[in-house]
């Protein structure tokens, strides 16, 4: 080998070594430079602590340290008189790279403000139904994360109504109308189909505030054959205790989507285990900050469903819980 050939090989090695060093340095710089992540929900900080803390802890385990390479932009509409638009505007003015959004409605509003922002859903209903993604396996746009809505669950809740109260004649769907959440048409249509399958009439009643919730239960108190299906929504979740109290005081059977209501005194819930949602969101945020595109990350849909029962409430409203339902319950409060 000639001296010139040796010199060329040494130069090429030096170049490749320098290139590799540059890549490693760039990756290290990406980890040390400050990144910004917005968290936008309808709740207050205190009410949202059960999701915020696991989310923060999960990101710490992945190397993201607040004050060192990560800055959170907290947007809690519950602390701004539920003015979600003002919260979104304030959050976006701080130029986050990624936004974690609680609901489908919040995601739609974020996209209107900044269409190309990377968005991770925390607990949205149907992303596909709201035309926010191309498909579950290949979102294809700038939205990914958790999706709660499952048509199977809606049919299961209708089945539970007939098991709990065979004489039930009507499923009353409580439709919460709030600025921070959208009730997809597909959800309502599926609930109507589920009611029909189990021989129930379907009745949709819209509510905009806690007072209208109270009025609804008072009207239903004279007809014990009507059962209320209460979806998980900022309005219902933020007023869980009031809804549960109205249901019990007016002796109206209600079925809920999440365990929170049963822990607040509600009779029964059936839905996904939401404890995983903040951890999944943290994983998606981590991957996006490291260069992944939201459109390449498949939507997470939990297959871990759980039923919770409150036997104290069953006694209070005079409902005898069948043994087959008791046997299927993951959590029983007595």
């Amino acid at each position: 080998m000639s001296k010139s050939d040796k010199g060329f090989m040494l130069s090429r090695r030096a170049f490749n070594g320098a290139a590799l060093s540059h890549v490693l340095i760039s990756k290290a710089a990406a980890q040390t430079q400050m990144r910004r992540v917005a968290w936008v929900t309808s709740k207050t900080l205190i009410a949202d602590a059960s999701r915020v803390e696991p989310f923060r802890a999960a990101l710490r385990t992945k190397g993201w340290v607040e004050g060192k390479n990560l800055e959170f932009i907290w947007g809690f509409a519950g602390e701004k008189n539920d003015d979600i638009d003002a919260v979104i505007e304030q959050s976006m003015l701080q130029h986050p790279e990624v936004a974690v959004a609680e609901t489908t409605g919040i995601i739609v509003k974020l996209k209107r403000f900044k269409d190309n922002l990377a968005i991770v859903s925390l607990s949205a209903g149907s992303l596909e139904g709201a035309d926010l993604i191309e498909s579950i396996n290949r979102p294809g746009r700038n939205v990914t994360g958790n999706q709660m809505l499952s048509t199977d669950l809606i049919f299961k809740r209708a089945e539970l109504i007939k098991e709990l109260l065979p004489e039930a004649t009507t499923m009353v769907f409580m439709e919460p109308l709030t600025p921070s959440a959208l009730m997809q048409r597909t959800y309502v249509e599926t609930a109507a189909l589920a009611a029909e399958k189990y021989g129930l009439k379907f009745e949709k009643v819209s509510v905009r505030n806690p007072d209208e919730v109270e009025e609804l239960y008072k009207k239903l108190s004279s007809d014990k054959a009507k059962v209320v299906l209460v979806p998980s929504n900022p309005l219902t979740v933020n007023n869980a205790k009031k809804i549960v109290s109205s249901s019990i005081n007016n002796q109206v059977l209600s079925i809920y989507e999440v365990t929170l209501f049963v822990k607040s005194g509600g009779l029964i819930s059936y839905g996904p285990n939401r404890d995983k949602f903040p951890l999944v969101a943290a994983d998606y945020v981590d991957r996006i900050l490291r260069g992944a595109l939201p459109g390449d990350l498949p939507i997470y849909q939990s297959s871990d469903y759980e039923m919770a029962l409150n036997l104290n409430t069953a006694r209070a409203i005079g409902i005898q819980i069948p043994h087959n339902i008791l046997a299927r319950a993951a959590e029983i409060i007595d």
Side-chain angles (χ1 to χ4, degrees):
M1 184 181 292
S2 67
K3 288 184 178 180
S4 60
D5 289 338
K6 288 181 179 178
F8 174 75
M9 288 187 67
L10 288 172
S11 297
R12 186 170 64 181
R13 286 173 184 168
F15 175 79
N16 289 341
L20 178 60
S21 297
H22 175 73
V23 171
L24 293 174
I25 291 170
S26 296
K27 286 186 176 180
Q31 275 292 88
T32 55
Q33 72 182 32
M34 193 68 72
R35 315 295 290 275
R36 289 187 170 186
V37 174
W39 176 278
V40 186
T41 77
S42 63
K43 296 180 174 57
T44 63
L45 171 58
I46 294 175
D48 219 12
S50 62
R51 298 188 299 188
V52 167
E53 294 311 318
F55 175 75
R56 297 167 82 172
L59 282 175
R60 282 196 296 271
T61 65
K62 298 176 186 297
W64 299 103
V65 182
E66 291 175 68
K68 181 180 178 182
N69 58 7
L70 184 65
E71 179 182 345
F72 284 120
I73 301 166
W74 301 111
F76 300 104
E79 296 179 354
K80 300 286 185 180
N81 296 317
D82 294 327
D83 190 347
I84 191 67
D85 292 318
V87 167
I88 289 174
E89 183 174 1
Q90 290 173 9
S91 299
M92 293 303 100
L93 287 174
Q94 298 179 62
H95 306 293
E97 295 176 62
V98 186
V100 178
E102 178 185 22
T103 66
T104 308
I106 292 176
I107 294 173
V108 170
K109 287 177 178 290
L110 280 168
K111 284 181 65 64
R112 288 173 183 164
F113 201 95
K114 187 177 180 182
D115 185 58
N116 63 346
L117 175 69
I119 301 173
V120 173
S121 161
L122 181 61
S123 55
S126 173
L127 296 168
E128 198 169 13
D131 195 30
L132 291 167
I133 60 174
E134 299 293 341
S135 68
I136 300 298
N137 294 325
R138 185 78 174 182
R141 301 179 192 174
N142 63 318
V143 178
T144 187
N146 296 292
Q147 177 171 281
M148 282 185 58
L149 182 60
S150 166
T151 55
D152 291 342
L153 290 177
I154 300 173
F155 278 86
K156 189 62 181 177
R157 293 178 191 120
E159 181 184 5
L160 282 171
I161 288 174
K162 291 302 290 186
E163 289 185 89
L164 284 166
L165 193 67
E167 62 271 26
T169 62
T170 307
M171 175 200 286
V172 178
F173 180 78
M174 182 188 292
E175 181 189 37
L177 301 178
T178 65
S180 56
L182 294 174
M183 185 56 61
Q184 280 88 17
R185 186 180 62 187
T186 52
Y187 190 120
V188 180
E189 290 173 348
T190 303
L193 290 172
E196 182 181 3
K197 178 179 178 180
Y198 290 98
L200 296 164
K201 295 177 183 177
F202 181 76
E203 184 179 330
K204 184 184 73 172
V205 180
S206 300
V207 293
R208 295 169 180 78
N209 54 59
D211 290 336
E212 291 186 1
V213 170
E214 179 67 27
E215 290 175 13
L216 168 61
Y217 278 108
K218 284 181 179 178
K219 289 179 181 178
L220 296 176
S221 62
S222 60
D223 190 346
K224 298 298 187 291
K226 291 186 176 183
V227 178
V228 181
L229 176 59
V230 182
S232 176
N233 170 280
L235 173 60
T236 58
V237 170
N238 290 343
N239 295 280
K241 290 184 177 179
K242 186 175 183 63
I243 290 173
V244 166
S245 177
S246 296
S247 176
I248 295 172
N249 292 340
N250 291 286
Q251 298 283 290
V252 177
L253 192 155
S254 296
I255 185 167
Y256 307 95
E257 289 187 346
V258 294
T259 308
L260 164 70
F261 290 92
V262 175
K263 291 180 177 179
S264 298
L267 175 65
I268 186 170
S269 66
Y270 187 77
N273 181 344
R274 303 208 305 175
D275 292 344
K276 293 181 181 179
F277 286 3
L279 307 182
V280 172
D283 181 60
Y284 279 78
V285 168
D286 171 61
R287 288 198 267 176
I288 291 170
L289 289 178
R290 294 178 190 276
L293 297 175
D296 293 337
L297 302 177
I299 301 299
Y300 175 80
Q301 286 190 294
S302 175
S303 59
D304 183 10
Y305 303 139
E306 59 185 11
M307 183 192 300
L309 283 168
N310 192 313
L311 297 184
N312 291 320
T313 302
R315 287 188 286 268
I317 62 176
I319 295 291
Q320 183 69 40
I321 304 295
H323 290 296
N324 66 322
I325 292 181
L326 283 169
R328 282 149 41 204
E331 183 172 355
I332 296 176
I333 299 173
D334 192 357

